[in-house]
Amino acid sequence: MLKLYSCSGSTFYGDNCDYHILHLLSIYGSISMSISYLGMMLLLWWLVVATVADDVKYKDPKQPVAARVKDLLGRMTLEEKIGQMVQIERISATPDIMKKYFIGSLLSGGGSVPNPHATVADWINMVNEFQNGSLSTRLGIPMIYGIDAVHGHNNVINATIFPHNIGLGATRDTDLVKRIGAATATEVRATGIPYAFAPCIAVCRDPRWGRCYESYSEDTKLVQNMTDIILGLQGEIPKGSRLGVPYVAGKDKVAACAKHFVGDGGTTLGIDESNTVASQHELLSIHMPPYYDSIIKGVSTVMVSYSSWNGKRMHANGDLITGYLKDKLNFKGFVISDWEGIDRITSPPHSNYTYSVLASISAGIDMVMIPNNYTEFINDLKYLVKHKFIPMDRINDAVSRILRVKFTMGLFENPLADFSMVNEVGSQPHRDIAREAVRKSLVLLKNGKQADEPMLPLPKMASKVLVAGSHADNLGYQCGGWTIGWQGFSGNENTTGTTILTGIKSAVDPKTEISYMENPNTDFIKSNRFSYAIVVVGEHPYTEMFGDSPNLTIADPGPNIIRNVCGNVKCVVVIISGRPVVIEPYLSMIDALVAAWLPGTEGQGVADVLFGDHEFTGKLSRTWFRSVDQLPMNIGDPHYNPLFPFGFGLTTKTVIGR
């Protein structure tokens, strides 16, 4: 078989063009010298072209993935390999940059969109424009575009927003999370994006952590079970698949990302990006097991945590990234850093960037999320390789893993998105799944001041009902962080959905009068003789360190609304929050109490259960404390004395014919 070379870089591959042309001429030297020089060159060209299809294995989908990876890797220059290891923010990219630096991946950070009112078509066109830049390179390696689709395709206007993970943990329903994963994958793919930074499989051990709602539970086993969402995002892994090998089923599935490796849910005082103090046994028994399950289920990528373990930054922890994740657990996908994660290896961040590049790549990170300073990273890594601080084998390992995922998911065969699935974004079947998830996630904590006098289900027929609270008619508040913008939003204008108030209005009898006032005073409540009241209060949206809270209180004026309303009329309080919050001081005046978590766009699901069309079935996925002074407090701790224990949840029966 002939090996192909090039002077132009477009047809042959190699460095010394003259030598290889002479080599080819020598092979065919028996050809009559009477052929003209022009004829000889035409014959040579024909011989070369005739061998292209057989020689370029990486372009042949019939070849095994390993053969395609090996073939492509053998053709790549150092610059092309380093480019594959780079992921930059779309704001920093152009098609020319993708081509010039051989960029392997792009991402949209929270709220990073083609334009403020971007349609599905706008997303597709943007992704394809960048992709065309990548495809125009010498080897035509497609880039992979990633996005934080952590509770649905949450950056995209009018997409279905599912409950955050803490609510899904309360359902205990693995089939449901698989269907949520599949719906999310379809909506993400519909916009031309093949890679989702989900799921978060942190085991949150302290609700003061601002990312606790991204965790399914404080209980390791429950988090392990919920990794079934990977089977929805990527597809069911085929029987007989090799352990640790990534798997993506087709054009309506995405590469998933288990995050954040490892121990991010165990930081001291729940401070984001901080230090997890734990023995090796505690780390491996509490925080590591969900990664076992994710790898068994074929997860394509793993994202490294900002946090440290016993003082060592995870982004520089080769013992865990290479020694444990890759070698012991046999993970064959690629490991990606978090946003500017390698910068945080030093304190202050970015103070010795060359060292950060050396430490992170040596530790086993394969793809580095560098939103902006990609040229600095490329230059530093090239220097470190050329001067043998980082061996070429480490670069080849990283690039092989990245290419393995790209080949496995069919990105080389289908690099460009089309418009065939545009109607999937926010589709009614997906909203129906989200509404089901809301119903199953609700946890009934109290039902009546007397056990034999339950308040729920509420009667649909009543003369007048008061709905109060800052969260009753606020789509942004009920969706929480990671929705449209990084930190979420307030109000009903930024996307499509049903507020809890709208759901209540559609659930009650047409003759029932609904009176909504966000913060009613005592005189108003007493003068209207309400049959009962529904109070909806909770936390305002937050993400990451902005959600770290030492006190975990309901946002004002929530406590005052509870006192005013529940002190004067029979009431049910619905808490919208990303975690348990302080509720004991008000519990005695509340008739019924519901933890609704962060339900997403389908607020009708709350009304479905309040009025008895469906049962309360949710169980607490984490312990509800009495006082923040008890924290951290988790099931099994010797000082365990909760207000409501892990697994608690009252039930109701559906009411027929109302």
Side-chain angles (χ1 to χ4, degrees):
M1 186 65 66
L2 295 178
K3 180 128 178 157
L4 307 184
Y5 299 92
S6 176
C7 298
S8 66
S10 60
T11 305
F12 301 79
Y13 301 100
D15 299 317
N16 191 331
C17 183
D18 291 338
Y19 168 81
H20 296 299
I21 287 178
L22 289 172
H23 178 62
L24 286 170
L25 286 171
S26 70
I27 293 174
Y28 294 96
S30 61
I31 297 173
S32 172
M33 296 304 294
S34 65
I35 299 176
S36 68
Y37 178 76
L38 177 60
M40 177 66 77
M41 296 309 296
L42 287 173
L43 178 59
L44 174 61
W45 180 257
W46 178 85
L47 289 168
V48 167
V49 171
T51 64
V52 168
D54 290 333
D55 195 59
V56 186
K57 289 183 180 179
Y58 81 89
K59 292 184 178 181
D60 182 1
K62 295 179 182 178
Q63 293 287 333
V65 168
R68 299 178 78 183
V69 170
K70 182 179 179 181
D71 179 67
L72 179 51
L73 192 70
R75 301 172 185 275
M76 297 173 71
T77 65
L78 176 60
E79 288 76 11
E80 288 167 328
K81 291 175 180 178
I82 289 174
Q84 284 300 299
M85 299 171 67
V86 173
Q87 183 182 70
I88 65 175
E89 225 288 335
R90 53 162 289 279
I91 293 174
S92 301
T94 66
D96 286 342
I97 287 171
M98 302 300 291
K99 180 179 181 180
K100 180 178 179 180
Y101 295 99
F102 313 105
I103 302 298
S105 183
L106 285 181
L107 84 151
S108 278
S112 179
V113 297
N115 63 70
H117 305 285
T119 64
V120 176
D122 291 334
W123 281 94
I124 292 172
N125 289 331
M126 177 197 70
V127 174
N128 282 348
E129 183 179 5
F130 289 128
Q131 188 67 282
N132 281 323
S134 296
L135 297 177
S136 67
T137 55
R138 181 176 73 92
L139 298 172
I141 304 173
M143 65 88 181
I144 183 171
Y145 198 109
I147 197 165
D148 285 288
V150 297
H151 63 141
H153 200 6
N154 45 260
N155 275 278
V156 176
I157 295 170
N158 301 327
T160 309
I161 306 299
F162 296 92
H164 268 297
N165 287 353
I166 188 171
L168 298 184
T171 72
R172 292 343 192 243
D173 192 332
T174 57
D175 176 69
L176 174 64
V177 296
K178 275 196 282 190
R179 288 185 284 128
I180 289 171
T184 300
T186 300
E187 296 204 13
V188 172
R189 275 287 198 168
T191 57
I193 298 172
Y195 181 20
F197 303 132
C200 177
I201 55 172
V203 181
C204 175
R205 304 291 284 178
D206 193 325
R208 291 173 291 187
W209 184 37
R211 306 192 76 156
C212 199
Y213 64 78
E214 297 184 56
S215 166
Y216 294 105
S217 179
E218 72 190 43
D219 178 67
T220 301
K221 185 62 178 176
L222 179 51
V223 177
Q224 288 181 270
N225 291 340
M226 303 309 273
T227 60
D228 271 7
I229 195 171
I230 293 168
L231 302 176
L233 290 165
Q234 297 192 157
E236 296 275 353
I237 190 165
K239 290 183 179 179
S241 293
R242 286 197 302 128
L243 177 66
V245 176
Y247 177 74
V248 180
K251 291 176 67 176
D252 63 344
K253 299 297 182 183
V254 296
C257 181
K259 63 183 189 183
H260 307 85
F261 187 84
V262 60
D264 51 336
T267 58
T268 302
L269 304 178
I271 297 171
D272 192 38
E273 302 186 16
S274 187
N275 189 32
T276 296
V277 178
S279 67
Q280 183 175 28
H281 173 75
E282 289 169 331
L283 186 80
L284 297 184
S285 63
I286 295 173
H287 300 284
M288 190 68 79
Y291 289 93
Y292 311 160
D293 293 76
S294 298
I295 291 167
I296 289 168
K297 292 164 187 174
V299 73
S300 295
T301 73
V302 170
M303 185 182 292
V304 180
S305 176
Y306 286 127
S307 59
S308 303
W309 177 44
N310 295 336
K312 184 168 186 176
R313 286 287 183 184
M314 283 305 309
H315 276 77
N317 197 319
D319 290 339
L320 288 174
I321 296 172
T322 297
Y324 203 89
L325 179 65
K326 290 183 174 181
D327 294 344
K328 188 173 182 63
L329 299 187
N330 205 33
F331 174 61
K332 298 299 185 185
F334 69 79
V335 176
I336 185 169
S337 81
D338 209 332
W339 177 286
E340 294 182 341
I342 72 169
D343 300 51
R344 266 93 146 173
I345 290 173
T346 59
S347 183
H350 204 86
S351 58
N352 187 344
Y353 194 65
T354 303
Y355 169 75
S356 293
V357 174
L358 173 63
S360 60
I361 301 303
S362 299
I365 293 176
D366 304 309
M367 182 179 284
V368 180
M369 194 183 293
I370 325 155
N372 306 303
N373 296 323
Y374 55 91
T375 56
E376 182 183 14
F377 173 82
I378 290 169
N379 291 335
D380 280 0
L381 184 52
K382 190 186 303 183
Y383 172 88
L384 290 166
V385 174
K386 287 187 173 181
H387 290 82
K388 303 188 184 307
F389 292 101
I390 295 176
M392 198 66 205
D393 285 350
R394 172 75 272 271
I395 301 300
N396 289 339
D397 172 63
V399 178
S400 295
R401 290 168 176 274
I402 294 164
L403 294 177
R404 182 180 295 126
V405 171
K406 290 184 177 184
F407 280 124
T408 299
M409 64 194 303
L411 202 56
F412 280 77
E413 287 67 58
N414 296 289
L416 296 172
D418 57 38
F419 295 85
S420 62
M421 296 194 294
V422 292
N423 293 327
E424 295 287 349
V425 175
S427 68
Q428 193 56 52
H430 295 168
R431 292 186 183 275
D432 290 343
I433 296 171
R435 183 171 172 178
E436 176 190 350
V438 174
R439 293 195 296 258
K440 291 180 175 179
S441 68
L442 302 180
V443 180
L444 182 57
L445 300 174
K446 182 178 180 180
N447 192 15
K449 291 182 177 177
Q450 304 296 328
D452 58 348
E453 296 180 9
M455 183 176 181
L456 300 176
L458 296 170
K460 292 183 177 180
M461 185 175 291
S463 59
K464 188 183 289 188
V465 174
L466 171 64
V467 179
S470 51
H471 291 57
D473 192 33
N474 195 308
L475 197 60
Y477 282 5
Q478 73 187 44
C479 288
W482 292 114
T483 310
I484 305 302
W486 178 38
Q487 294 295 322
F489 67 96
S490 175
N492 299 327
E493 304 302 319
N494 290 351
T495 195
T496 302
T498 303
T499 68
I500 295 169
L501 175 64
T502 301
I504 291 169
K505 287 180 176 179
S506 66
V508 299
D509 187 89
K511 296 179 182 178
T512 298
E513 180 183 344
I514 298 292
S515 179
Y516 170 63
M517 183 173 288
E518 183 174 322
N519 189 7
N521 59 42
T522 303
D523 291 340
F524 174 80
I525 298 167
K526 289 181 176 179
S527 63
N528 274 276
R529 296 187 177 182
F530 293 108
S531 302
Y532 56 83
I534 302 172
V535 176
V536 191
V537 293
E539 295 185 300
H540 294 160
Y542 53 82
T543 302
E544 300 188 50
M545 71 291 296
F546 294 99
D548 288 354
S549 172
N551 50 35
L552 296 178
T553 53
I554 295 170
D556 289 328
N560 190 56
I561 296 171
I562 293 173
R563 292 188 191 95
N564 283 350
V565 175
C566 297
N568 291 283
V569 63
K570 194 174 183 181
C571 76
V572 53
V573 173
V574 179
I575 304 292
I576 305 296
S577 67
R579 53 204 166 185
V581 291
V582 174
I583 195 67
E584 189 173 37
Y586 328 112
L587 191 58
S588 62
M589 65 182 71
I590 294 170
D591 293 276
L593 178 63
V594 177
W597 315 113
L598 298 169
T601 51
E602 306 314 300
Q604 186 73 52
V606 177
D608 288 342
V609 183
L610 288 179
F611 291 97
D613 293 323
H614 292 268
E615 303 172 4
F616 276 96
T617 58
K619 306 295 181 184
L620 286 179
S621 57
R622 57 178 317 103
T623 300
W624 203 293
F625 58 86
R626 297 178 182 275
S627 164
V628 291
D629 296 335
Q630 296 175 295
L631 300 176
M633 179 178 64
N634 297 284
I635 182 71
D637 287 349
H639 65 291
Y640 199 68
N641 181 28
L643 182 62
F644 301 108
F646 172 85
F648 180 82
L650 302 173
T651 58
T652 56
K653 297 294 184 183
T654 55
V655 180
I656 308 300
R658 289 198 309 165

